[in-house]
Amino acid sequence: MHRIFTTSVASVYPHYVTKVERKGRSKAELDETIRWLTGFSQAELEAHLDAGTTFADFFDAAELTPQASLITGTVCGIRVEEVEDPLMRRIRYLDKLVDELAKGKALEKVLRQPADHG
């Protein structure tokens, strides 16, 4: 079992916040991104952070968005869509979304929403 599986989301979350804020993005945008991926409400997300939920339990409780399969690309040189372990793939999805947010990608693109041509 990989060490990240038993790591609490709350211990990594401040690093996500720092990463996105350093690039001019907000904690609210980060939270929206996490909620989109996991299906959690803000209250559920905060409860998991307060409880020190591990990544394994966090993603076990999550109802992943059907659009998660649209998350592709590399994180730490690894193609997220090729990660075999389902839990590790979900963690990499989250890492990829945080990276995209920090790189200034429009929130609609990060959340895989179709462009509005209306």
Side-chain angles (χ1 to χ4, degrees), residues 109 113-118:
K109 290 195 185 315
Q113 295 173 349
D116 184 10
H117 296 293

Side-chain angles (χ1 to χ4, degrees), residues 4 8 11 15 28 32 42 48 50 62 68 71-72 76 87 95 103-104 106 112 118:
I4 191 70
S8 74
S11 68
H15 300 288
E32 183 176 348
Q42 186 66 30
H48 282 294
D50 290 345
I71 303 167
T72 58
C76 302
L87 175 56
D95 290 343
K103 287 179 180 162
R112 305 312 193 257

Side-chain angles (χ1 to χ4, degrees), residues 10-113:
S11 68
V12 178
Y13 180 79
H15 300 288
Y16 291 152
V17 173
T18 300
K19 183 174 188 168
V20 301
E21 286 182 342
R22 200 172 48 228
K23 299 292 186 167
R25 301 309 283 266
S26 68
K27 179 181 172 295
E29 289 174 306
L30 173 64
D31 287 357
E32 183 176 348
T33 301
I34 295 171
R35 291 193 320 265
W36 172 81
L37 177 64
T38 61
F40 292 138
S41 67
Q42 186 66 30
E44 290 169 322
L45 173 58
E46 290 171 9
H48 282 294
L49 294 173
D50 290 345
T53 304
T54 65
F55 273 98
D57 291 341
F58 183 77
F59 279 107
D60 192 44
E63 193 68 46
L64 231 59
T65 179
Q67 291 138 311
S69 62
L70 301 175
I71 303 167
T72 58
T74 59
V75 174
C76 302
I78 298 165
R79 295 205 65 78
V80 294
E81 62 271 27
E82 294 174 1
V83 174
E84 302 246 342
D85 184 281
L87 175 56
M88 184 59 85
R89 187 177 322 117
R90 290 176 177 153
I91 294 168
R92 293 297 187 194
Y93 283 160
L94 178 56
D95 290 343
K96 181 66 179 170
L97 294 174
V98 171
D99 281 355
E100 290 178 354
L101 196 60
K103 287 179 180 162
K105 201 171 200 183
L107 193 57
E108 296 74 36
K109 290 195 185 315
V110 172
L111 303 185
R112 305 312 193 257
Q113 295 173 349

